[in-house]
Amino acid sequence: MASHRLNPEKLPSYVFLPPEIAQWNADQTRKGLYGLLTSEIAWRDRYDFLERRGYKLRQRYHPGWKPSWMGTNISPEFCEDSIRPRHFHVIDATRIPDGTRVAIKSIKNEGQELAVSLLVASLGGSDNHCVSALEVLEDPLDSRRSLLVMPYLRPYNNPQLHTVGDVIIFVSQMLQGLAFLHRSRIAHRDIAPQNIMMDGSPLYPDGHHPMRIGRAPDAIHDAYTVPRSEHPVKYYYVDFGLSVHFSLGVSSLVIGKVGRDMEIPELSNTVPYDAYKADVYALGNLLDKEFLQLYHNVEFLRPLVECMKQQDPALRPPAEELVKMFQQVRALVPDNDICWRLVQRSEQPYEKFINDTVAVARGGLGNLKRMVG
């Protein structure tokens, strides 16, 4: 039977519980408090199959798993194998040959998600900001489904973007990625913060836990991070479950009130609308809510966002034109502004003074580090 034990001699004091609480946790564990959820059982049942195919799930999903905290006074909170996934249809895994972390998603064979995922993976180009399909496996539990293996990504805004330059890089990549999709005759149809992620590995030189992403891989210590202004990341569109790939010469008109953004004005279950134009609005709405409405010093985005959020879809520029428009906007932003921290609209004067002082101090320290190598 598989188990994974922590070495108590190397653990910080805060992971240990008083005897009575440790006993309570043991009793609750026996009653199933930390047991596998129904959705997790399916991944446990795929464990051996995935291992044969070169992918190892976390210890929690080993068919012989025993909770590592049993028989100890260590809190389950700090035991890696107590942690459940955030989404029942996606799980993290390790690629056995090279130790690379991946994500595996259970998807239906029918529909366009599988086809679109494979298509974007087959297309090259630096402006391809779509998550790649690394491999497609048959689902040993359901012949109507497949297991889509993808790079492991984390939310684009965790940790938060910190400087104006961070926002510029994000906007540039997302516009380029949208232009790439539309040039490839693909409409995403579900652009929202939840469907934009990043390869955060440059920000976490020592790694982080795949589910409890603010912690180190051991799920005990806080993860160590470095600034993205000095360690740029790549952003990706994910989740092509609602996407459409139009055949050459076929109209891009669609119907359906679909996607997370229900503010797109033309959405309709009966009146056809242009899926590309709806994508443009959705991305503009995201930029508006995630940046313009929150921060003072990104006003240079306003003309771009207003174009993207025109109520009349016909007035919204195509994605390729938006890329060029943003390049012109970017050229007008002073270099000193690019390095400056994002200033929240909700900041009080005393907060702004303190935050500005800290930003100047950090900037000076960063410059000193670069000067000395």
Side-chain angles (χ1 to χ4, degrees):
M1 302 292 277
S3 63
H4 177 70
R5 293 291 181 182
L6 295 170
N7 184 350
E9 296 180 359
K10 296 182 178 180
L11 299 178
S13 60
Y14 57 77
V15 309
F16 298 105
L17 298 172
E20 62 275 13
I21 298 180
Q23 183 59 51
W24 182 88
N25 268 316
D27 293 341
Q28 294 303 309
T29 299
R30 293 188 190 96
K31 294 176 181 178
L33 177 61
Y34 295 96
L36 299 181
L37 302 175
T38 302
S39 58
E40 291 182 286
I41 290 173
W43 290 111
R44 179 202 64 190
D45 293 345
R46 297 181 180 112
Y47 185 98
D48 291 334
F49 167 81
L50 288 169
E51 189 169 40
R52 289 193 300 270
R53 299 303 296 266
Y55 300 98
K56 189 170 184 178
L57 300 182
R58 286 186 289 119
Q59 190 68 20
R60 178 177 176 83
Y61 303 103
H62 190 286
W65 170 61
K66 291 182 178 179
S68 62
W69 57 91
M70 294 295 284
T72 77
N73 63 341
I74 299 172
S75 169
E77 164 74 14
F78 298 103
C79 292
E80 192 282 327
D81 56 329
S82 73
I83 301 172
R84 291 169 170 152
R86 294 190 297 272
H87 306 288
F88 72 91
H89 59 290
V90 182
I91 200 165
D92 62 281
T94 300
R95 190 164 60 194
I96 295 171
D98 60 7
T100 298
R101 185 178 292 163
V102 298
I104 303 177
K105 182 179 183 179
S106 172
I107 62 173
K108 295 179 180 178
N109 293 333
E110 61 184 34
Q112 293 225 41
E113 181 169 15
L114 181 56
V116 171
S117 297
L118 291 173
L119 175 60
V120 296
S122 70
L123 301 173
S126 59
D127 55 351
N128 183 348
H129 287 271
C130 304
V131 64
S132 296
L134 301 176
E135 187 175 3
V136 179
L137 307 173
E138 68 275 18
D139 189 335
L141 305 183
D142 189 344
S143 60
R144 299 167 299 177
R145 304 185 72 85
S146 292
L147 302 178
L148 183 63
V149 183
M150 304 171 289
Y152 174 88
L153 303 173
R154 62 183 286 143
Y156 85 90
N157 55 0
N158 186 334
Q160 291 286 339
L161 284 73
H162 183 67
T163 68
V164 173
D166 293 344
V167 174
I168 287 174
I169 292 172
F170 174 84
V171 176
S172 178
Q173 290 191 24
M174 290 298 91
L175 289 175
Q176 290 172 8
L178 187 62
F180 168 86
L181 278 170
H182 292 180
R183 190 166 61 249
S184 304
R185 306 193 308 279
I186 299 169
H188 189 283
R189 302 196 72 195
D190 195 13
I191 295 173
Q194 299 91 326
N195 286 337
I196 296 178
M197 304 188 79
M198 68 174 175
D199 174 7
S201 56
L203 306 182
Y204 293 85
D206 299 329
H208 63 81
H209 190 273
M211 290 293 110
R212 205 159 283 169
I213 59 177
R215 291 192 185 171
D218 62 9
I220 296 174
H221 302 89
D222 290 338
Y224 169 69
T225 61
V226 295
R228 74 178 76 196
S229 56
E230 298 174 16
H231 303 269
V233 300
K234 185 170 182 178
Y235 301 99
Y236 296 88
Y237 289 105
V238 305
D239 193 351
F240 299 104
L242 295 174
S243 300
V244 179
H245 178 224
F246 300 102
S247 299
L248 190 62
V250 172
S251 168
S252 57
L253 294 179
V254 296
I255 58 171
K257 287 188 174 182
V258 299
R260 289 174 171 80
D261 190 345
M262 288 288 107
E263 296 181 10
I264 303 171
E266 65 267 28
L267 291 185
S268 172
N269 290 324
T270 56
V271 180
Y273 58 90
D274 190 321
Y276 296 146
K277 298 293 187 180
D279 275 355
V280 168
Y281 186 98
L283 181 56
N285 207 22
L286 182 152
L287 299 180
D288 187 12
K289 291 185 174 182
E290 297 289 297
F291 302 116
L292 265 177
Q293 293 184 23
L294 296 182
Y295 303 108
H296 279 295
N297 49 341
V298 292
E299 279 296 318
F300 58 87
L301 292 177
R302 190 168 299 281
L304 178 81
V305 168
E306 288 178 348
C307 283
M308 298 173 74
K309 290 185 64 177
Q310 294 270 12
Q311 291 295 298
D312 181 353
L315 299 179
R316 297 172 205 154
E320 294 279 11
E321 187 175 325
L322 290 167
V323 171
K324 297 176 183 177
M325 185 183 302
F326 185 67
Q327 289 172 345
Q328 296 172 346
V329 169
R330 160 65 184 87
L332 298 176
V333 181
D335 289 343
N336 288 341
D337 290 357
I338 292 173
C339 300
W340 195 243
R341 70 177 185 91
L342 292 170
V343 180
Q344 294 189 18
R345 293 187 182 276
S346 60
E347 263 185 23
Q348 298 299 315
Y350 73 91
E351 292 177 305
K352 184 176 184 303
F353 173 78
I354 294 172
N355 291 335
D356 284 350
T357 302
V358 171
V360 169
R362 285 178 176 170
L365 181 60
N367 291 333
L368 178 60
K369 287 180 178 179
R370 283 189 288 273
M371 287 173 62
V372 299

